[in-house]
Amino acid sequence: MNPRTYEVRVSGLVPPELVEGLDVAEVTEEPVRTVIRTAPSDQAALLGLLERLRALGVELLEVRQLLEDSPSPTP
């Protein structure tokens, strides 16, 4: 079974070093927000990413599961 891919949008910019070591495929910046695309190995890994962002005081805007053929966001 293929892992599900999620897109996590947060307010503000998240430095790449804050997501180092996590199962993150892509981090892009859009005006005044950061988009993190990830295919976590399981739900616990996704929750771990969200918890780390919360612990850093990052405001979570949206979490959504992407369809397999979803295009990558444009920077």
Side-chain angles (χ1 to χ4, degrees):
M1 175 190 269
N2 290 342
R4 294 181 174 139
T5 300
Y6 294 88
E7 190 171 88
V8 179
R9 292 178 178 262
V10 298
S11 180
L13 303 178
V14 175
E17 60 271 12
L18 294 181
V19 292
E20 282 182 10
L22 297 175
D23 189 15
V24 173
E26 180 179 21
V27 176
T28 59
E29 295 175 357
E30 295 179 358
V32 198
R33 70 177 59 146
T34 298
V35 178
I36 300 169
R37 192 170 284 210
T38 182
S41 55
D42 56 19
Q43 189 175 31
L46 177 62
L47 293 174
L49 171 63
L50 297 177
E51 174 59 27
R52 185 164 181 185
L53 292 170
R54 186 202 64 78
L56 294 168
V58 176
E59 179 186 2
L60 181 65
L61 299 175
E62 177 183 21
V63 177
R64 64 178 160 159
Q65 184 178 341
L66 301 176
L67 300 174
E68 289 184 29
D69 58 350
S70 294
S72 293
T74 56

